Amino acid sequence: MTSEIGARALHVLETVFGYPAFRGQQADIVEHVASGGDALVLMPTGGGKSLCYQIPALLRDGVGVVVSPLIALMQDQVDALEEVGVRAAFLNSTQTFEETLRIERLVRSGEIDLVYVAPERLLTQRCLELFDVSPISLFAIDEAHCVSQWGHDFRPEYIRLSVLHERYPGIPRIALTATADLQTREEIAHRLQLDDARKFVSSFDRPNIRYSIVEKTTGRKQLLDFISSEHPQDSGIVYCLSRKKVEETADFLNEHGIRALPYHAGMEYSQRAANQSRFLREDNITMVATIAFGMGIDKPDVRYVCHLDLPKSLEGYYQETGRAGRDGLPASAWMAYGLQDVVLQRRMIDESEADETFKRVLSMKLDAMLGLCETLSCRRMRLLDYFGERSGPCGNCDTCLIPPIQVDGTVPMQKLLSAIYRVDQRFAAGHVIDVLRGAQTERISQWHHDKLTVYGVGADRSEQEWRAIVRQAIALGFVTVDHDAFSSLKLTDAARPVLKGEQKVQLRQYQKPVKAKRPSSRAAGSYEELELSRSEQAIFERLRTWRMGTAREHGVPAYVVFQDATLREIAKVKPGSLDALRGVSGVGEKKLVSYGDEIVAIINEMM
Ligand code: ADP
Ligand code: ZN
C-alpha cells in the first residue's frame, strides 16, 4: 500500500491494534472503503473481517455504524475496542433510557468512532432520525448472509436494510459475511442494493483446521476419546441436532471429566446467556450446542469443533467448523457420521412443510454433504471445490494423512442393489441387511424373505460393513431413502448399469480413525514459530494465569486482554523492556500502557 490513505491505515493497524501487517485482502478493502467506496466482503471466519470496517471508521470523519444481529455479543465487541483505545458503544434493548440518551448524544456530536446497533433498532424512526443529523463515516453490515431467505440465519429485518442506500446515498457501505455459496452472495448484493459495490472474495481455505470424519459407532464415547486424547486442555464446541441430545451429551462429558456446558434455544434465556458468557470468558470449556449457538462468537482460541450429527449442508458444516482456530493456530474439525444420520436427515426434509422446489434444494445440499463424508480424496479439496475453489491434496485432513483403501466394490454393491429390488423396494436398510446376512427374524419369516435368492449372500460381511456400503450407495446416487414412514430403500436409474454389470464401483474400506498428533508442515506455519520450549511453556502458563485474573478484574473475556498467539510470542521473545514488548504482534499502544509494566515484570521475574 503506497497511497497516503494506505500509509495512514497501516499506521493505525500498528499503533492501535498492534499488528505488523495486513492479511490477505484487508489492505485493499480498508483503502477502498476509507476512500468512500462500497464493498461486499466474503472472507472465511477468522479471516479478519472486523478490521475491514474498524480501520476505515477510524480514518474517516464521524461515527461508523455497525449493524449486527448479535445483541448478546455487543458488549464484548465494545469492550475489545475499548481495550485498544477505540471509542465504541452500542445501542440496544438491554440499555436504560438514560444510557441510550447518553450514547445518542455521543453519536450526534461525533464523539465516538463506532456504534453497534441491531437491525430492528436501526430501522426505528428514532434511530434513523438520529443518523440523519449525525456525522456518519460508514455503515458496516455484519453477518450479511442474514438477508438470505435460504439460509438458517434468516432475519427479515435485514431485507429492509436497503433503506441505508436510499436514505444515505453518499455514505459508504460495507457488507461482510463468511458464507461462501454463490446464491447467497448474489442475494446479498441484490437485496442490499450492493450490485455496484466492489466484491472482495477471499480464498475460503482454512489451512490450520484439520478435517476428519469417522464412522459413527458409539458416538458419544468416540467423542470423549477424541477430546481426551487430542484436546484435553482446550476450548471447543460440540454440535448436536436436538436439544435432548445436547443435554445428554453435556452430562456425559461432565461425568467423564470434561468441563461441558449445554446451549440450545429451549433453555431459559438467562441460563443460555450465562453459559455463553462462561465459554467466552474462561479457558478449557466445551460448549455442547445446537446450531443456535455460534454466530458471531469471536472467541479466537476455539481449538476444536465436533459434529455428533450430520449437518444439513456443506454451508452449515463449513460455517460451524470455521469457528475453530480463528487465531490461525492448529485446530480440529471432527465429525462422527453413520447411516442413521442419512435416514434421519432425509426424513426431516420429506416431512418439512417446504414446497417441492425447496425440498429439492435441501436434498441436493444433503447429497453434497454425504459426498464429503464418503469421499475417497482430500476432504479440503472437496469442500473448496463445492465453494468454487480449485486446490490440491492438503496433507492436513484424515484422507490425506491416512488415505482410505479403495476396493473394487462392484459385487457387494450388486448384491445390495438386488436385495433392495427383491424385497420390492419396500424395506429399510436394517431389514435389507438382515436379508443379505441371512438373519432369522420374525419379519423375514413373515415375508418369506428367506426364500429369496439373495438371502444370505452377504453373510461374509459384518452389519457395520454393510451399513458402510449402504451409505456409499446413497452417496453415489444408486439408492435413495424413501419418504414413506419406513424409510424404505429405493433404486434410482443410476443403479441399472451396476446391476447389469456394465459399471464398476469403487468403494472405500473403513479404517481405524486417525490419531496423528503433530500438525502437518503446511498447517503448522505460524505454529512452529510459536512452538515453546519447556521454560517458555512455563512463562506462557504464568502469563495465562495473569491474563485470567486481569480479565476477571476488568469484566472482559480473557482473549480481549491478549490472545493466546500474543502470549505465546511474548513467552518466546521474553521482552525485558517496554520497547521490546512493543514489537510483539497484538500489542498496540493502549495495551502497552495498560499492561506493559506488568508483563515486563513477569518476564524479568521468571528469567
Ligand atoms: P472474522 O470476523 O473474519 O471471523 P476477526 O475479525 O474476528 O475475523 O479476526 C480473526 C482473528 O484474526 C482475530 O483474532 C484478529 O485479532 C486477528 N487478526 C485480524 N487481522 C489481523 C492482522 N492483520 N494481523 C494479525 N492478526 C489479525
Ligand atoms: Zn486433505
Side-chain angles (χ1 to χ4, degrees):
M1 231 194 290
T2 47
S3 65
E4 192 246 320
I5 199 134
R8 283 171 57 210
L10 194 58
H11 182 72
V12 171
L13 180 74
E14 286 166 353
T15 53
V16 177
F17 296 94
Y19 296 134
F22 281 112
R23 276 188 189 161
Q25 300 196 70
Q26 278 178 334
D28 292 339
I29 300 167
V30 166
E31 182 161 355
H32 178 71
V33 176
S35 311
D38 289 340
L40 175 53
V41 172
L42 305 140
M43 221 185 241
T45 310
K49 284 185 285 302
S50 326
L51 293 182
C52 296
Y53 57 83
Q54 289 168 349
I55 294 184
L58 293 174
L59 292 174
R60 293 173 62 83
D61 290 335
V63 185
V65 176
V66 186
V67 185
S68 159
L70 305 156
I71 292 179
L73 298 174
M74 286 180 184
Q75 184 70 57
D76 288 347
Q77 286 167 323
V78 165
D79 287 345
L81 284 165
E82 287 181 340
E83 280 285 322
V84 297
V86 172
R87 301 170 303 171
F90 58 81
L91 282 170
N92 71 33
S93 49
T94 64
Q95 279 159 328
T96 61
F97 188 57
E98 284 69 36
E99 183 63 2
T100 301
L101 288 178
R102 189 180 75 81
I103 306 294
E104 286 178 350
R105 260 197 313 276
L106 291 173
V107 171
R108 212 175 293 118
S109 60
E111 283 174 88
I112 52 173
D113 303 308
L114 281 157
V115 65
Y116 286 76
V117 289
E120 59 277 9
R121 179 60 168 254
L122 177 118
L123 292 166
T124 60
Q125 203 56 30
R126 182 181 175 97
C127 199
L128 290 171
E129 280 170 9
L130 168 70
F131 292 155
D132 286 345
V133 297
S134 305
I136 305 294
S137 59
L138 59 84
F139 288 104
I141 303 166
D142 206 4
E143 312 288 353
H145 62 281
C146 290
V147 81
S148 164
Q149 282 166 310
W150 298 92
H152 52 61
D153 296 326
F154 176 55
R155 303 279 176 119
E157 312 85 45
Y158 261 69
I159 291 184
R160 287 173 56 213
L161 291 177
S162 56
V163 70
L164 296 177
H165 175 60
E166 289 141 22
R167 195 156 174 148
Y168 312 98
I171 298 178
R173 290 171 304 143
I174 169 173
L176 311 102
T177 180
T179 300
D181 66 305
L182 204 63
Q183 189 181 24
T184 312
R185 291 177 199 180
E186 283 169 2
E187 233 181 320
I188 295 171
H190 179 64
R191 289 191 192 273
L192 295 178
Q193 299 190 17
L194 282 166
D195 300 287
D196 298 331
R198 210 170 128 190
K199 318 276 185 304
F200 294 88
V201 182
S202 299
S203 163
F204 268 75
D205 189 17
R206 300 287 311 282
N208 60 318
I209 299 182
R210 171 176 298 176
Y211 300 97
S212 32
I213 301 179
V214 305
E215 187 176 12
K216 196 190 283 181
T217 50
T218 52
R220 285 195 311 214
K221 173 76 172 52
Q222 290 171 290
L223 173 73
L224 177 65
D225 288 346
F226 168 76
I227 299 178
S228 330
S229 65
E230 310 256 332
H231 294 284
Q233 301 292 329
D234 293 334
S235 301
I237 307 174
V238 175
Y239 284 108
C240 302
L241 205 55
S242 70
R243 298 168 182 188
K244 183 159 164 268
K245 188 154 171 186
V246 163
E247 304 268 353
E248 288 171 359
T249 307
D251 288 345
F252 175 81
L253 290 177
N254 278 314
E255 282 160 22
H256 291 84
I258 308 281
R259 281 206 303 162
L261 296 172
Y263 186 105
H264 59 71
M267 288 164 59
E268 281 284 332
Y269 176 77
S270 59
Q271 187 57 50
R272 219 183 333 149
N275 286 359
Q276 170 167 308
S277 166
R278 277 192 61 194
F279 176 71
L280 291 176
R281 266 147 231 272
E282 298 175 26
D283 292 326
N284 312 344
I285 290 191
T286 300
M287 189 64 122
V288 186
T290 59
I291 54 168
F293 176 75
M295 202 198 351
I297 294 290
D298 285 340
K299 191 175 172 64
D301 56 359
V302 175
R303 294 267 68 85
Y304 59 93
V305 170
C306 297
H307 284 89
L308 266 191
D309 293 301
L310 186 72
K312 291 181 178 52
S313 66
L314 287 179
E315 286 88 350
Y317 173 75
Y318 208 60
Q319 204 177 52
E320 286 140 27
T321 54
R323 291 170 186 146
R326 276 172 173 242
D327 53 11
L329 300 179
S332 310
W334 180 94
M335 173 159 97
Y337 133 91
L339 180 57
Q340 203 45 42
D341 286 305
V342 188
V343 173
L344 186 69
Q345 289 284 3
R346 285 266 182 250
R347 188 176 306 154
M348 280 166 57
I349 294 176
D350 291 327
E351 288 174 358
S352 77
E353 311 269 277
D355 63 31
E356 284 309 313
T357 326
F358 194 56
K359 280 187 185 177
R360 215 167 302 132
V361 173
L362 293 178
S363 212
M364 275 161 48
K365 288 185 187 274
L366 181 58
D367 287 342
M369 186 71 231
L370 295 182
L372 176 77
C373 294
E374 297 295 349
T375 186
L376 288 159
S377 59
C378 171
R379 307 258 191 223
R380 188 182 317 269
M381 254 170 76
R382 184 102 192 190
L383 270 169
L384 291 175
D385 181 60
Y386 181 78
F387 298 119
E389 235 179 286
R390 297 267 164 273
S391 63
C394 73
N396 193 32
C397 72
D398 56 354
T399 50
C400 280
L401 291 167
I402 299 187
I405 299 170
Q406 285 192 46
V407 288
D408 181 349
T410 312
V411 172
M413 186 59 79
Q414 284 171 331
K415 288 180 181 171
L416 170 69
L417 299 179
S418 37
I420 294 172
Y421 181 74
R422 295 288 167 202
V423 300
D424 296 326
Q425 311 187 56
R426 285 172 57 195
F427 291 85
H431 182 72
V432 173
I433 293 172
D434 281 346
V435 171
L436 281 164
R437 300 193 66 234
Q440 291 171 340
T441 67
E442 212 167 292
R443 192 174 291 160
I444 283 183
S445 14
Q446 182 190 348
W447 291 90
H448 305 296
H449 283 166
D450 44 0
K451 302 286 180 303
L452 298 173
T453 49
V454 288
Y455 182 72
V457 294
D460 54 334
R461 282 168 203 272
S462 67
E463 172 166 358
Q464 194 71 5
E465 281 175 89
W466 278 114
R467 287 190 165 260
I469 296 170
V470 175
R471 287 202 314 269
Q472 294 178 79
I474 296 169
L476 292 166
F478 303 141
V479 170
T480 57
V481 181
D482 200 52
H483 7 254
D484 59 23
F486 313 108
S487 304
S488 348
L489 300 183
K490 293 244 179 330
L491 300 181
T492 67
D493 289 343
R496 199 164 300 145
V498 179
L499 272 170
K500 284 191 179 159
E502 295 163 2
Q503 187 187 331
K504 291 224 166 293
V505 183
Q506 287 293 313
L507 291 182
R508 166 189 185 121
Q509 198 170 55
Y510 265 90
Q511 296 162 281
K512 285 250 168 283
V514 187
K515 228 182 211 174
K517 284 261 180 219
R518 308 284 315 128
S520 79
S521 52
R522 174 176 165 196
S526 58
Y527 188 69
E528 299 245 287
E529 288 159 31
L530 292 178
E531 186 95 20
L532 303 178
S533 70
R534 186 178 285 214
S535 63
E536 288 164 351
Q537 186 67 32
I539 301 178
F540 175 65
E541 296 301 336
R542 173 81 178 79
L543 290 169
R544 263 185 136 188
T545 310
W546 165 83
R547 176 179 71 180
M548 195 67 238
T550 308
R552 207 168 277 145
E553 256 168 53
H554 293 220
V556 296
Y559 68 82
V560 164
V561 176
F562 282 121
Q563 299 189 10
D564 277 2
T566 302
L567 293 190
R568 294 187 91 91
E569 197 178 326
I570 294 174
K572 216 156 178 98
V573 177
K574 307 175 204 52
S577 68
L578 287 181
D579 255 349
L581 181 59
R582 181 180 275 121
V584 173
S585 177
V587 184
E589 288 302 328
K590 170 94 190 287
K591 285 192 180 173
L592 195 67
V593 172
S594 311
Y595 307 123
D597 290 335
E598 289 176 59
I599 300 270
V600 170
I602 290 173
I603 297 296
N604 287 330
E605 170 198 313
M606 293 196 69
M607 291 301 286

